[in-house]
Each structure stands twice: as C-alpha cells, then as structure tokens.
Amino acid sequence: MTYGVVIMYLVAAVLGLTGVVLLVRLGSATISERQVYAYRMIGIMLTSAGIVLAMSATAMWRWSMA
C-alpha cells in the first residue's frame, strides 16, 4: 500500500467519523431548528465524502498493485 493511499484512507475515516458524530447529535433535545438543519446537511455531506474517498483509495490501491 502506498503512502498516498494510506493518507486517503485516513482522511476518509476522519470525514466519515465527523459526519456520523454530527448525525448522532441530531438525537439530542437541546439543539435548535437551525442546528438540526446544519447538522443534517453537513453530516450527510461529510459521511458521503468519506465513503467516496474510501472507494477512490481502494481503486487507487488496486490499480497500483496491477
């Protein structure tokens, strides 16, 4: 596994975990409607970015082995 692929996986993990944390915080009763909107939008975007980046890292890893 190359250094670039490892970095891509680490960034994907950070983005994905941050997005999941924001989505989990939606269950808290102390957040306003504006925060619900922001957490939902940002959480979904970060989680999606993490998934797409992980898929790209996997493809890059497979191509480097071929």
Side-chain angles (χ1 to χ4, degrees):
M1 186 177 306
T2 64
Y3 186 66
V5 173
V6 172
I7 290 174
M8 287 176 72
Y9 277 126
L10 290 174
V11 172
V14 169
L15 290 175
L17 289 175
T18 304
V20 168
V21 166
L22 287 175
L23 292 174
V24 168
R25 289 201 57 197
L26 287 172
S28 132
T30 60
I31 58 176
S32 68
E33 287 185 31
R34 290 181 180 182
Q35 287 174 323
V36 167
Y37 178 76
Y39 286 0
R40 189 177 296 154
M41 170 108 40
I42 297 167
I44 289 171
M45 295 295 278
L46 288 175
T47 305
S48 300
I51 291 169
V52 169
L53 189 58
M55 290 189 305
S56 296
T58 302
M60 189 173 170
W61 180 30
R62 288 184 181 173
W63 291 337
S64 70
M65 292 174 56

